[in-house]
């Protein structure tokens, strides 16, 4: 049997030669001084050689352990050389299965179940917050501390809820990876304990008194702003849709604007929630339009023409209006902390439900829920509700519009107010009502 002293002191010769150990393990010493571990064995009637690596990187004790492991494989009827090749190939494939690669597979598998808007949010959050930090790491090598480190970077932006959602999406990727046989555990599963708790949420600020709400609209429309932004504020107040649904409004979503039953058909993929939920409530969200809402659309068309988007961005007409444009305008009018764009839904719900209790017809509260795209309590009659309640939804939309716009100036006047304060002297600016 060999010893470390013998191995270290043996000098190379003009030709390669062997130093035998035991149980077919030996060391090949080449003329250039390299010392390489080998093992002879017989498998399926053929003599083969297994390589274990160079000395001293592989010491005598380690070489003997590798020899013994190879002999155990032989006893189980496994070729040690073939097993090693498979292990190397598996290691290579594992290194290629980075988190970003597996996340892309997971996304493609699930995107058909999601609304387009939600799918875009998922992909954007992974590209922005996960891939730069863990995207190139093999998924089998990711650890809870590394995932926490990634989520901490999101928390440092005070985006606590975003960090929670990102953790859920990372966990979703690992759930797929486990099912696909890439990994056997989810290191993100228990990291919630290391994350900051969600701040306590209050209700979104909303004015729920009709007189105050109408006064707020009047004040907002007196503020300097783009004409299309002012129109957008009045339109969202009339329709009580979500701000994202308003910003993405396209002209081809509107029907019968010149007829007696004007309608805004918001596609299911632009609505909040899963596709399953939307199919459950009938898919597209139908918004019957009061004549005041149609008037706003007519002015918007004169203002900007029949481009794709009804409420486009100031700098690029092919992009939606900024998500902050309406909120900033409300704040400038003096209503910061009192009302937000999403608050118009609460305004509509509160004021119209109070009206329904006093002056409405039986079932009006359910109709109001349908107008807000809420899931009906009685899901058995969903299909009937969407079709059968449409006349009443149209009537209530007109009731709301009449109440809300009483005393407000026509939309033409709103659109043509100046977008900027007028300066004096030679530097006086020209009014730009169409900006």
């Amino acid at each position: 049997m060999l010893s470390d002293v013998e191995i270290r002191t043996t000098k190379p010769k003009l030709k390669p030669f062997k130093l035998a150990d035991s149980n077919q393990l030996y060391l090949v010493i080449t003329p250039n001084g390299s010392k390489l571990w080998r093992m002879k064995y017989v498998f399926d009637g053929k003599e083969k050689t297994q390589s274990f690596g160079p000395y001293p990187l592989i010491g005598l004790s380690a070489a003997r352990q590798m020899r013994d492991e190879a002999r155990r494989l032989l006893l189980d009827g496994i070729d040690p050389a073939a097993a090693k090749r498979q292990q190397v190939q598996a290691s290579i494939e594992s290194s290629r299965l980075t988190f970003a690669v597996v996340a892309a597979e997971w996304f493609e598998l699930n995107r058909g179940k999601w609304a387009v808007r939600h799918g875009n949010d998922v992909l954007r959050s992974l590209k922005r917050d996960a891939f730069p930090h863990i995207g190139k790491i093999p998924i089998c090598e990711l650890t809870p501390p590394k995932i926490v480190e990634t989520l901490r970077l999101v928390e440092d932006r005070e985006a606590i809820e975003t960090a929670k959602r990102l953790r859920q999406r990372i966990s979703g990727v690992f759930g797929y990876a486990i099912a696909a046989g890439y990994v056997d555990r989810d290191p993100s599963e228990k990291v919630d304990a290391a994350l900051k708790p969600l701040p306590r949420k209050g209700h979104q600020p909303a004015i729920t008194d009709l007189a105050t709400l109408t006064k707020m609209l009047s004040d907002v429309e007196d503020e300097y702003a783009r004409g299309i932004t002012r129109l957008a504020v009045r339109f969202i107040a009339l329709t009580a849709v979500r701000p994202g649904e308003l910003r993405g409004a396209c002209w081809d979503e509107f029907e019968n604007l010149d007829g007696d039953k004007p309608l805004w058909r918001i596609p299911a993929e632009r609505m909040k929630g899963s596709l399953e939920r939307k199919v459950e409530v009938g898919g597209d969200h139908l918004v019957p339009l009061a004549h005041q809402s149609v008037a706003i659309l007519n002015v918007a068309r004169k203002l900007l023409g029949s481009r794709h988007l009804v409420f486009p961005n100031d700098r690029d007409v092919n992009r939606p209006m900024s998500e902050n444009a309406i909120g900033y305008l409300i704040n400038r009018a003096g209503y910061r902390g009192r009302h937000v764009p999403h608050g118009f839904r609460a305004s509509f719900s509160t004021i119209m439900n109070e009206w329904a209790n006093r002056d409405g017809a039986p079932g009006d509260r359910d109709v109001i829920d349908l107008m807000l795209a809420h899931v009906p309590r009685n899901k058995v009659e969903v299909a009937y509700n969407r079709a059968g309640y449409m006349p009443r939804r149209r009537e209530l939309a007109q009731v709301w519009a009449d109440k809300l716009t009483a005393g407000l100036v026509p939309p033409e006047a709103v659109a043509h107010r100046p977008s900027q304060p007028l300066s004096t002297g030679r530097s006086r600016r020209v009014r730009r009502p169409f900006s």
Side-chain angles (χ1 to χ4, degrees):
M1 292 178 64
L2 291 174
S3 67
D4 278 315
V5 173
E6 183 181 1
I7 296 171
R8 287 197 305 270
T9 57
T10 298
K11 303 298 183 183
K13 299 178 181 180
L14 293 177
K15 293 184 178 181
F17 65 97
K18 303 174 183 177
L19 294 178
D21 187 54
S22 61
N23 294 316
Q24 304 302 315
L25 178 65
Y26 60 92
L27 193 68
V28 176
I29 301 178
T30 65
N32 65 7
S34 297
K35 300 173 180 179
L36 308 171
W37 290 110
R38 300 283 189 270
M39 172 190 167
K40 277 190 177 182
Y41 66 97
V42 176
F43 184 81
D44 193 22
K46 299 177 182 178
E47 189 176 274
K48 296 189 172 186
T49 302
Q50 172 76 37
S51 299
F52 294 143
Y55 179 92
L57 181 62
I58 305 297
L60 177 59
S61 176
R64 287 171 176 167
Q65 290 177 2
M66 296 169 78
R67 173 203 62 196
D68 293 342
E69 177 59 30
R71 294 180 69 200
R72 281 190 287 270
L73 290 172
L74 284 168
L75 287 174
D76 292 334
I78 299 172
D79 184 349
K84 183 177 180 180
R85 286 194 299 272
Q86 291 175 0
Q87 184 180 13
V88 170
Q89 185 60 34
S91 179
I92 292 172
E93 291 177 359
S94 177
S95 68
R96 291 172 179 165
L97 285 172
T98 63
F99 177 81
V101 168
V102 179
E105 293 181 8
W106 169 77
F107 178 79
E108 287 301 320
L109 181 68
N110 287 280
R111 69 186 306 175
K113 306 174 187 176
W114 297 328
V116 172
R117 174 183 169 189
H118 177 67
N120 291 339
D121 286 343
V122 170
L123 188 59
R124 183 168 51 248
S125 72
L126 289 172
K127 286 183 174 180
R128 180 189 61 202
D129 297 326
F131 292 171
H133 311 294
I134 61 175
K136 295 181 179 180
I137 300 175
I139 193 167
C140 62
E141 296 179 11
L142 278 173
T143 61
K146 185 62 180 177
I147 292 173
V148 170
E149 177 185 322
T150 300
L151 297 174
R152 285 264 189 269
L153 296 173
V154 181
E155 289 184 334
D156 289 344
R157 307 198 310 254
E158 298 301 324
I160 309 302
E161 189 168 354
T162 301
K164 298 280 189 185
R165 284 198 298 268
L166 181 61
R167 189 213 67 80
Q168 292 171 352
R169 289 162 184 170
I170 291 174
S171 185
V173 174
F174 272 99
Y176 164 75
I178 292 171
Y182 300 153
V183 296
D184 56 11
R185 63 187 183 89
D186 176 6
S188 68
E189 185 178 13
K190 303 294 184 182
V191 304
D192 259 344
L195 301 180
K196 295 178 181 178
L198 283 171
R200 182 173 295 178
K201 272 191 174 181
H203 291 292
Q204 299 238 37
I207 294 172
T208 56
D209 172 73
L210 179 61
T212 308
L213 184 66
T214 301
K215 174 65 165 57
M216 186 268 285
L217 283 175
S218 178
D219 292 341
V220 165
E221 292 171 357
D222 279 341
E223 273 295 310
Y224 293 105
R226 296 169 64 219
I228 198 67
T229 306
R230 293 198 198 92
L231 292 176
V233 175
R234 188 180 289 198
F235 195 73
I236 195 174
L238 285 167
T239 56
V241 297
R242 296 179 180 90
E245 294 155 10
L246 173 94
R247 292 171 52 242
C250 303
W251 282 111
D252 59 9
E253 295 173 359
F254 294 92
E255 305 170 6
N256 199 31
L257 291 182
D258 297 327
D260 59 349
K261 295 181 180 179
L263 185 73
W264 181 13
R265 185 183 298 272
I266 306 178
E269 60 266 22
R270 290 214 304 110
M271 296 295 294
K272 180 180 177 182
S274 67
L275 288 180
E276 290 84 356
R277 177 182 182 275
K278 289 163 197 166
V279 169
E280 190 175 40
V281 297
D284 300 342
H285 178 44
L286 308 181
V287 183
L289 299 174
H291 67 76
Q292 291 93 334
S293 299
V294 174
I296 291 173
L297 293 174
N298 289 336
V299 173
R301 196 187 294 272
K302 292 177 183 177
L303 205 60
L304 296 174
S306 298
R307 297 186 175 98
H308 179 60
L309 293 167
V310 180
F311 302 105
N313 190 279
D314 185 20
R315 295 178 177 84
D316 184 352
V317 295
N318 296 312
R319 291 173 52 209
M321 176 183 293
S322 163
E323 60 184 335
N324 296 318
I326 294 176
Y328 286 164
L329 178 53
I330 292 172
N331 291 345
R332 288 200 306 272
Y335 291 86
R336 180 187 296 274
R338 296 178 60 193
H339 195 88
V340 295
H342 198 277
F344 286 113
R345 292 171 60 78
S347 302
F348 169 78
S349 178
T350 302
I351 296 170
M352 286 303 291
N353 272 298
E354 289 176 353
W355 172 86
N357 288 337
R358 296 189 314 268
D359 306 313
D364 275 352
R365 294 177 66 86
D366 289 332
V367 176
I368 290 167
D369 273 349
L370 285 171
M371 295 174 75
L372 290 166
H374 290 163
V375 177
R377 287 184 286 271
N378 184 358
K379 298 178 184 178
V380 176
E381 298 183 0
V382 168
Y384 169 77
N385 287 346
R386 291 183 69 248
Y389 286 165
M390 183 52 67
R392 187 56 177 166
R393 290 168 70 174
R394 190 172 296 284
E395 291 171 0
L396 293 189
Q398 192 60 58
V399 169
W400 169 245
D402 291 342
K403 289 178 173 297
L404 185 65
T405 60
L408 294 180
V409 299
E412 292 87 348
V414 171
H416 289 77
R417 287 174 175 170
S419 61
Q420 298 178 8
L422 297 177
S423 56
T424 57
R426 291 185 177 181
S427 61
R428 179 181 179 127
R429 295 181 183 177
V430 178
R431 293 188 178 192
R432 294 190 298 133
F434 297 101
S435 62

